[in-house]
């Protein structure tokens, strides 16, 4: 599983999964905090479709954290003020970068959570579509 997909699952899914993974690593390995979780602003860059030029849409508040396990650096960045999640994501990222054995057993948990996220998204879409009005079939007098 790629880094981006893994991170999206950990952010969109249950926060307990990230906490458990980070706790498992922190109990077995020395985790050095390089940058404690702190808030920052990042610029949102987007491309204007007509002229294909880049511009900044605005700013977004994020929480970022950096840790080190052995010789591997891990970063955790999450939207909003979520210090514990940013710290957990940094530990998980460092664990994958260090290729720790514990990470191999996490794949099935992440795959299951991905399925749960997709199921919840489908349910949300169905509930939204139930409220959609079809103007073509409305009887207008």
């Amino acid at each position: 599983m790629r880094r981006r997909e893994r991170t999206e699952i950990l952010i969109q899914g249950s926060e307990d999964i990230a906490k458990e993974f980070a706790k498992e690593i922190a109990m077995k390995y020395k985790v050095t905090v390089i940058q404690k979780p702190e808030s920052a602003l990042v610029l949102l860059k987007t491309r204007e479709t007509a002229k294909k030029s880049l511009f900044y849409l605005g700013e977004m508040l994020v929480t970022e954290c950096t840790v080190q396990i052995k010789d591997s650096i891990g970063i955790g960045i999450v939207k909003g003020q979520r210090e514990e999640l940013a710290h957990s994501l940094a530990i998980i990222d460092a664990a994958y970068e260090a290729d720790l054995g514990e990470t191999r057993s996490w794949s099935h948990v992440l795959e299951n959570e991905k399925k749960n996220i997709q199921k919840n998204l489908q349910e949300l879409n169905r509930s939204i579509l139930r409220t959609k009005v079809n103007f073509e079939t409305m009887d207008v007098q």
Side-chain angles (χ1 to χ4, degrees):
M1 182 174 292
R2 300 178 78 182
R3 183 185 210 181
R4 179 182 177 128
E5 182 182 12
R6 177 181 70 233
T7 304
E8 285 177 359
I9 293 169
L10 291 168
I11 290 172
Q12 294 173 5
S14 173
E15 201 169 313
D16 295 335
I17 294 172
K19 288 179 189 177
E20 287 300 316
F21 287 175
K23 183 179 174 184
E24 180 181 351
I25 296 299
M27 288 173 52
K28 295 180 182 177
Y29 300 94
K30 181 181 182 232
V31 177
T32 306
V33 177
I34 296 173
Q35 176 189 355
K36 64 181 177 65
E38 56 186 36
S39 298
L41 289 174
V42 294
L43 290 171
L44 298 174
K45 190 177 357 179
T46 191
R47 187 170 300 279
E48 191 268 324
T49 55
K51 294 181 180 177
K52 306 286 188 229
S53 60
L54 290 174
F55 73 96
Y56 292 102
L57 187 61
E59 296 175 329
M60 179 173 61
L61 178 71
V62 297
T63 304
E64 56 186 359
C65 179
T66 307
V67 301
Q68 180 176 358
I69 299 174
K70 296 184 178 182
D71 291 332
S72 300
I73 304 288
I75 60 168
I77 301 174
V78 64
K79 179 173 62 171
Q81 288 186 304
R82 300 169 73 186
E83 293 180 0
E84 189 174 0
L85 181 58
H87 186 255
S88 296
L89 290 174
I91 292 173
I92 293 166
D93 188 47
Y96 272 99
E97 288 295 314
D99 196 27
L100 302 179
E102 290 79 3
T103 60
R104 291 178 189 87
S105 64
W106 295 348
S107 295
H108 72 280
V109 176
L110 292 172
E111 287 296 331
N112 289 339
E113 189 62 18
K114 181 180 178 180
K115 289 175 186 173
N116 288 339
I117 292 167
Q118 290 171 345
K119 187 177 108 184
N120 291 340
L121 187 59
Q122 288 172 350
E123 288 174 11
L124 177 64
N125 286 338
R126 275 195 295 274
S127 69
I128 291 170
L129 288 176
R130 279 196 297 267
T131 64
K132 186 177 176 183
V133 176
N134 186 349
F135 289 100
E136 293 175 7
T137 60
M138 285 183 64
D139 188 22
V140 181
Q141 300 197 12

